[in-house]
Amino acid sequence: MAQTKNALPEVHFSDEGTIRHLHLETIWIQGSIDTRDPLRLVHEYIQRMQAWLLFVEPDTVSQRRSLQLGLGAGSLTRHCSKVLQLKHTAAIELNPQVLAACRAWFKLPADSARMQVILGDAALAIQDPQWWGVIDALHVDLYDADAAAPVLDSPQFYALCRRLLTEEGCMMVNLFGRSASFARSLQHISAAFGADAVWAFKATREGNTVVLAQRTPTRPKKSQLQLRAAAIEARWQLPALKWVRGLTPVG
């Protein structure tokens, strides 16, 4: 995950049975992998970060593009490229140690025509016009070693994120920390996208809350979302019907 350029933290891992966790100098888990099944999304909040699939036709997914701001353990980058088989997947990560760890310990494939990891500051990288209006799934998971609040969390930052999205595009943000931090983040996201474009899950047991923001607000009926969820479960074995029960509009 991203960190300020000064004093980048040391990266290490711990094993819990077949589950391997990534850490940045603290006990906080920055991402995980099931070493027996590397393409499985281990954590519930990481699974929810794929809830953008509810808002696009399944047959179009292979033509979509995703961008991860913060690599973590590479779970979403692997999943988008290898499971969803998107047309293109990219991730932006500031800490070169995180990238090295993902390649050495978390089975992240080498860069290819369909997948790449860019070392750089996400706040600067997303201002490059090459990303504007071409991203269908934007995953934002930017925390430092202490995991107290997002590193990038202003209305201006979320407005830049919105500019990256296609008309059907969605941004998914992992919010973790104190309740006051969540309320502030939600307010900033709503200011950039409009409250009618924002959806939120309830917090997981670990305290992660995933917020989804659409480039173009829609309010599909629950029956429509359930049909889409059934297709997602059949194709990619993700708990999408559970998403429909837990995802609610903010505005």
Side-chain angles (χ1 to χ4, degrees):
M1 297 186 186
Q3 168 75 354
T4 57
K5 286 187 176 180
N6 295 326
L8 292 173
E10 294 292 324
V11 178
H12 66 279
F13 73 88
S14 65
D15 287 335
E16 186 179 357
T18 64
I19 305 300
R20 176 165 293 168
H21 304 300
L22 179 74
H23 305 272
L24 301 179
E25 291 185 350
T26 71
I27 63 171
W28 293 109
I29 293 171
Q30 303 285 340
S32 304
I33 188 173
D34 184 339
T35 56
R36 294 174 305 181
D37 186 3
L39 297 179
R40 181 173 75 87
L41 298 177
V42 173
H43 299 293
E44 185 176 20
Y45 82 91
I46 290 287
Q47 295 169 6
R48 292 176 178 182
M49 294 283 272
Q50 297 291 44
W52 65 276
L53 292 166
L54 292 170
F55 296 90
V56 298
E57 288 292 338
D59 288 342
T60 70
V61 167
S62 64
Q63 297 304 308
R64 306 284 177 170
R65 297 172 183 266
S66 72
L67 178 63
Q68 289 83 53
L69 304 184
L71 181 61
S75 299
L76 287 167
T77 305
R78 289 192 306 270
H79 194 265
C80 285
S81 181
K82 297 296 185 180
V83 178
L84 300 184
Q85 297 188 337
L86 301 189
K87 183 177 183 178
H88 191 259
T89 297
I92 299 172
E93 172 57 50
L94 186 61
N95 191 338
Q97 290 186 52
V98 170
L99 176 56
C102 284
R103 292 261 158 82
W105 305 329
F106 292 89
K107 301 184 184 296
L108 182 70
D111 284 359
S112 66
R114 293 180 50 251
M115 192 208 81
Q116 65 180 138
V117 179
I118 300 160
L119 285 172
D121 186 332
L124 298 176
I126 62 174
Q127 297 183 51
D128 187 330
Q130 71 166 311
W131 303 112
W132 298 357
V134 300
I135 302 301
D136 298 289
L138 176 65
H139 301 101
V140 181
D141 199 356
L142 296 167
Y143 283 83
D144 61 14
D146 294 324
V151 174
L152 299 174
D153 189 45
S154 68
Q156 294 77 16
F157 167 69
Y158 291 121
L160 292 174
C161 288
R162 185 177 184 272
R163 185 168 63 179
L164 305 180
L165 299 177
T166 62
E167 287 302 312
E168 287 189 301
C170 292
M171 175 184 73
M172 280 67 56
V173 184
N174 171 38
L175 298 176
F176 178 78
R178 299 178 298 274
S179 58
S181 171
F182 168 76
R184 182 176 64 250
S185 298
L186 189 61
Q187 183 180 34
H188 292 172
I189 294 169
S190 296
F193 281 80
D196 60 340
V198 181
W199 304 65
F201 286 97
K202 293 182 179 180
T204 65
R205 285 175 294 180
E206 295 78 19
N208 299 84
T209 302
V210 172
V211 173
L212 181 150
Q214 298 174 279
R215 173 66 176 81
T216 304
T218 63
R219 282 291 184 266
K221 296 179 180 178
K222 190 170 185 178
S223 58
Q224 293 174 304
L225 291 175
Q226 288 172 332
L227 287 173
R228 185 71 54 77
I232 293 167
E233 293 203 351
R235 289 191 185 213
W236 299 297
Q237 292 75 57
L238 290 166
L241 287 168
K242 187 176 179 181
W243 296 345
V244 174
R245 293 193 296 270
L247 187 65
T248 57
V250 171

